[in-house]
Amino acid sequence: MGKYAPVIKAAECGSMTRAAQAMGYTQPSLGYIINNIENELGVKIFYRDQRGVTPTETGESLLEIMRQIEALENRLQDAARVSKLELLRVGIFSSVASQWMPEILEAFYQAYPEAVVKLETAPYYLTGELGVKEHKLDCSFFAGRCPSGLESMPLYEDPYYLVTAAGSDLAHCREVSVWDVVGRYPFIPTNESTDAGSAIHEIYQLFAQSSRLDFQPQENQMAIGLVEKGLGLTILPGLTLLDLVPNRAVKVIPLKEHLTRTVSLLLPRESDRSHLTNVFLRLTQQQVEKWKTTQKPYRL
């Protein structure tokens, strides 16, 4: 209830007595509040007689503004309530969004149906890191080294695979070394390979140094499409490939180097985390463990 609610209620009821009863005030207390508002504004808002109260001409125009102020104050209070108590901002990348987030959110909303979860795509690992450091995100899925001042909770060890066309001369291989393909095949980079925080960034640099890169970094699905047409090969993590390779004419081959990325949840230190962030962490750990037992990682 805002400052001008007593004036608005008195106008609606047409009576100080009825307005006071509706708002839980005594009639003298409500009259005192309204008198103070009139004195503060230096105008008469109501005509008063034995039948009740009637807005003056000035009062009518002021009441419209007061209603607008009350509405804005209500919006302000609602926004503050959500921001402070019920808003959780989570940084995600696409493979996590498709594989894990539906179940995590289902469990989270069962526990906190009034909460608001805002998912923000973090195309590079540094995006999520900066978001958490600058308090723009409450937590973020992450796959780099834990930055100083933050905590990283490991969730899943995700292996990288080489992806080539089904008709490629590599398609028969059970394993491939990076050194078998660097300088011999065009490489189609993705955000994953060009991200300085990625475990395969050094591989991308090897390709860049040994041969001319024919392609700019591509979105994952576009990269798979180019690979399928025999225009080059790429390297992507298994979690990403789960949604990309079904029904595509590509071959996914393990790397002899056994490169992996550790998918984690990046958070502020425990003393700086909100209750909702801790709940989200706990539910994420539970749901990912359940996913590991029901959904096998990508295999040939």
Side-chain angles (χ1 to χ4, degrees):
M1 183 178 67
K3 175 180 178 179
Y4 299 113
V7 178
I8 295 169
K9 180 59 69 174
E12 291 173 351
C13 293
S15 163
M16 289 285 191
T17 302
R18 288 195 295 271
Q21 290 172 346
M23 300 188 73
Y25 289 124
T26 63
Q27 192 276 335
S29 296
L30 185 69
Y32 177 77
I33 292 171
I34 292 176
N35 285 337
N36 281 346
I37 293 173
E38 288 180 322
N39 291 335
E40 180 184 313
L41 296 175
V43 296
K44 192 175 185 64
I45 298 175
F46 292 113
Y47 295 118
R48 296 167 173 82
D49 57 33
Q50 292 181 343
R51 292 175 297 179
V53 294
T54 305
T56 63
E57 185 176 347
T58 300
E60 287 284 6
S61 61
L62 293 180
L63 275 163
E64 181 58 34
I65 298 172
M66 290 176 183
R67 291 187 182 98
Q68 294 175 17
I69 292 172
E70 286 292 307
L72 288 172
E73 285 192 356
N74 289 336
R75 286 179 56 191
L76 178 63
Q77 293 299 323
D78 288 343
R81 176 178 57 82
V82 169
S83 296
K84 290 182 179 180
L85 301 176
E86 298 178 338
L87 175 63
L88 184 71
R89 302 157 301 175
V90 181
I92 60 170
F93 42 88
S94 58
S95 53
V96 165
S98 62
Q99 291 298 321
W100 296 344
M101 285 309 300
E103 286 74 20
I104 293 171
L105 289 179
E106 180 183 27
F108 185 84
Y109 281 129
Q110 285 177 355
Y112 288 87
E114 301 300 321
V116 175
V117 179
K118 184 178 181 183
L119 302 180
E120 299 190 16
T121 301
Y124 295 99
Y125 300 141
L126 182 60
T127 310
E129 175 185 337
L130 291 177
V132 177
K133 278 187 172 180
E134 296 173 358
H135 309 290
K136 295 176 182 177
L137 295 173
D138 297 295
C139 57
S140 181
F141 289 93
F142 188 71
R145 292 182 179 178
C146 182
S148 62
L150 301 177
E151 291 187 11
S152 181
M153 301 297 179
L155 298 169
Y156 177 61
E157 201 69 23
D158 194 16
Y160 286 97
Y161 297 88
L162 182 138
V163 189
T164 188
S168 164
D169 59 355
L170 294 170
H172 69 282
C173 297
R174 295 182 62 84
E175 278 188 323
V176 173
S177 170
V178 171
W179 298 106
D180 295 335
V181 294
V182 166
R184 295 180 55 200
Y185 298 88
F187 185 74
I188 300 171
T190 63
N191 286 346
E192 177 74 25
S193 55
T194 57
D195 192 331
S198 168
I200 61 167
H201 183 64
E202 290 184 7
I203 294 176
Y204 163 73
Q205 292 178 315
L206 286 175
F207 276 99
Q209 292 167 6
S210 62
S211 64
R212 178 177 62 86
L213 284 174
D214 295 322
F215 298 99
Q216 294 297 311
Q218 300 293 319
E219 182 272 332
N220 291 337
Q221 193 159 349
M222 174 61 77
I224 293 295
L226 294 172
V227 168
E228 186 177 31
K229 297 301 181 183
L231 298 174
L233 52 79
T234 194
I235 297 175
L236 284 168
L239 194 60
T240 299
L241 292 171
L242 283 169
D243 287 327
L244 291 178
V245 298
N247 303 315
R248 304 301 292 262
V250 297
K251 183 69 180 297
V252 177
I253 307 172
L255 291 170
K256 288 182 180 178
E257 289 78 8
H258 302 294
L259 294 171
T260 65
R261 64 174 184 175
T262 303
V263 181
S264 306
L265 193 65
L266 190 66
L267 313 110
R269 288 179 174 168
E270 187 170 5
S271 58
D272 298 326
R273 294 201 294 263
S274 69
H275 173 67
L276 278 187
T277 303
N278 284 325
V279 170
F280 185 82
L281 168 62
R282 175 174 55 81
L283 292 176
T284 296
Q285 290 171 322
Q286 291 174 356
Q287 293 303 315
V288 172
E289 287 303 310
K290 185 184 296 184
W291 176 86
K292 290 178 186 178
T293 63
T294 59
Q295 171 65 64
K296 291 183 179 180
Y298 185 82
R299 289 292 182 265
L300 297 178

